[in-house]
Amino acid sequence: MSQEAVLDLAAIWLRRAEWQPTLFANELRRLDLLKLEPGWPCEPFHLRIHRNQAFEFVASVLGPFLAFGGRRAEIAYSDYDDSLALHVEGRADVDLLWLDFERYRDRLAPRELVAWLLERVQSLRARSEAPILVADCAATDAAAQELNDGLRNLAQVVPGVRIVPLSQIGAELGARTFDRRAARVTGMTLSDAACLRAARALGLVWLPAALAPRLKAIALDLDNTLYSGVLGEDGPAGLQLTAMHLELQRKLLRLREQGVFLALASRNEKVDVDRLFAERPDMPLRPEHFSATSIAFRAKASGLREIAAELRIGVDALLFVEDNPGEMAVVATEVPGVKMLHAADPALTARALDFYPGLQGYPPGRDDLRRVADVAASAQREQAARSAQSPEAYLRSLEVVLTFATNRRADLERLAELSNKTNQFNTAFLRLSEAQVAKRLADPLCRTISVSLRDRLSDSGIVGALFLRQASSTLVADEIVISCRALGRNVEHAIVTEALRRALEELPASEVRFAFREGPRNGPARAFLAEYAGRAPGADGVSVSWDPGRAARLFERLPVTVVHEEGS
Amino acid sequence: MTRAEVEKSVREVMQTVLGRSLAAGADLRRVDEPAWDSLKHVELIFTIEETLGLQFDAEELGELDSLGKLVASAARRLGAGG
């Protein structure tokens, strides 16, 4: 990397840190936002707005929020259209329904309005595979609540639909939510304050969540970040834990409950940090909450790389929270890709956790908590692997159970998540949206198999997915993804072979072709395919003649229990 | 706040919202500025209100169609003299 590029990276992150007080302010100010111009490259995406009211007051301040996460929107608008004809030309990476529901109030009861909207959203789903965001009703009266309940149900029914809760903004602003003065000129009833908050919610939370998977871990500095003071100088008793520090720590715990790993990256002596936790029981964060730690007097860049390696995640899935801009500048240049949050003061940092791109706006997953517990068990697994006499003995000691389910609709969100988040064991990088997965689940020529893994140490939940398709006498594995949490237990062959065997029962074929696309970190997938097929995959992937006895022979020597689950 | 300070603030808002520079002392009329459409008009009003901490009456929104009128109305509401 050139010296110039290195300086740029540091400057970019420090500029972002300067933006934080404006973006995460309790009271947003339009003039301050309009003055923010990103000096860094932003990735464009296509946002299509289906609306019956102005979105421009939101759009004019959406830019800085999106730019903070490295994006910019190219927006295409529908006409003001109460009938929601969905006539907007051009492609969409995200579709947004932006409706003033007041306009329907005299004509349709909430239930009727939801039924009509369901039909419209299904129509949009049929023609667009992009995530669909539906902004709910910002009012908080009983009719609006009934409508918003109905919208949440709608999002459960149609794949890839998320509700943007303007109702939350309405609850926060109360009487300040609406401003009827502008309606005479523009037909828009939301107040400026509501528009600014909507821009923040969309630009920092909902659009990033629609476009990219969640960040996987937060690495935290200690001194002047989780408390006020310097541990090595003030000692545990001299550190200040204010109400906002407590709030910050509790928010971090809530994120951990949602499956985000917490890690410590601290320039302190280990013995001092041990004393901190022992002598300050008022700290909500406890040592057991950290899935990885780097505590030493050395550059944090190497500590962050070790944390990412220990958690088996890319550094680009890591958020580093730090009060020292100098430390941030070094990390920006030495660990490119890592995300950063400047912990200037605890109140702002706590609020930033509600909005930081890639942290919020994701549906709760069944496997969220399992992920954290699973990593905690991995140290025990590594110990078992070291002391076992053979790979088979190791597997036997773990008592591994693999559970296979075919075309199970309940797994849809997790299947899309795996396709989008998995980087190492990913054969094709299709990055399937929920809508695309739903299409495959409904296609009689496709089989999508989800694979769950548990052993005596932990239940990992769904760790693998095979997206299969019959094409004449060939079964095509369009994509195989296995979470890195499952790697290292030597179950990849069992997962793939049993899933193929099961699919071939319903979609007979003499040959299996594995599609393959080279990615930045999918060496494990390439190596597996080369071993499985006996030769390295090329641009067209790699094929094998299917041997019906392969599964039986494999499981004769592999001490793994296989379970098949039915269900929708 | 003096009238000159009010004018300075309104000018800054107009330049930022309309994305153009304004010559010192010159007025700007809505009819002469293509970017000043009805949506930008409301955004200007909102931003001036936020910046100066005041609120215009609904009835006068349509009449505030020049920099001079905006400054005059804002100064009157703030009791700005000089």
Side-chain angles (χ1 to χ4, degrees), chain A residues 28-32 34-35 54 56-57 60-61 80 179 181-182 184-186 190-192 196, chain B residues 12-13 16-17 30 38-43 45-47 49-51 55-59 61:
Chain A
L28 294 164
R29 292 176 56 81
R30 183 173 287 273
L31 188 59
D32 294 343
L34 288 171
K35 288 178 179 171
E56 284 79 352
F57 304 124
S60 66
V61 287
Y80 294 126
D179 184 342
R181 293 175 306 154
R184 293 184 192 183
V185 186
T186 65
L190 286 176
S191 68
D192 193 41
L196 296 175
Chain B
E12 184 193 4
V13 168
T16 308
V17 171
R30 187 173 166 185
S38 58
L39 293 169
K40 279 293 175 198
H41 184 62
V42 172
E43 192 172 5
I45 296 288
F46 281 163
T47 315
E49 288 182 343
E50 167 199 275
T51 304
Q55 191 168 53
F56 296 107
D57 291 335
E59 292 70 29
L61 291 193

Side-chain angles (χ1 to χ4, degrees), chain A residues 2-53:
Chain A
S2 71
Q3 185 66 19
E4 194 175 301
V6 163
L7 287 172
D8 278 350
L9 278 174
I12 286 169
W13 276 105
L14 294 179
R15 186 103 180 90
R16 278 186 164 115
E18 287 170 7
W19 281 24
Q20 285 181 200
T22 303
L23 301 185
F24 300 126
N26 193 31
E27 284 295 332
L28 294 164
R29 292 176 56 81
R30 183 173 287 273
L31 188 59
D32 294 343
L33 290 164
L34 288 171
K35 288 178 179 171
L36 297 179
E37 287 283 342
W40 55 85
C42 291
E43 190 181 340
F45 70 97
H46 296 273
L47 173 61
R48 223 166 32 182
I49 314 269
H50 310 273
R51 47 109 178 243
N52 67 355
Q53 63 174 338

Side-chain angles (χ1 to χ4, degrees), chain A residues 426-428 477-478 513-519 522 525-526 529 537-542:
Chain A
N426 186 330
T427 56
D478 287 318
R513 185 168 72 78
F514 299 93
F516 181 74
R517 189 175 150 214
E518 191 96 40
N522 68 340
R526 167 185 273 279
L529 289 182
D540 290 341
V542 65

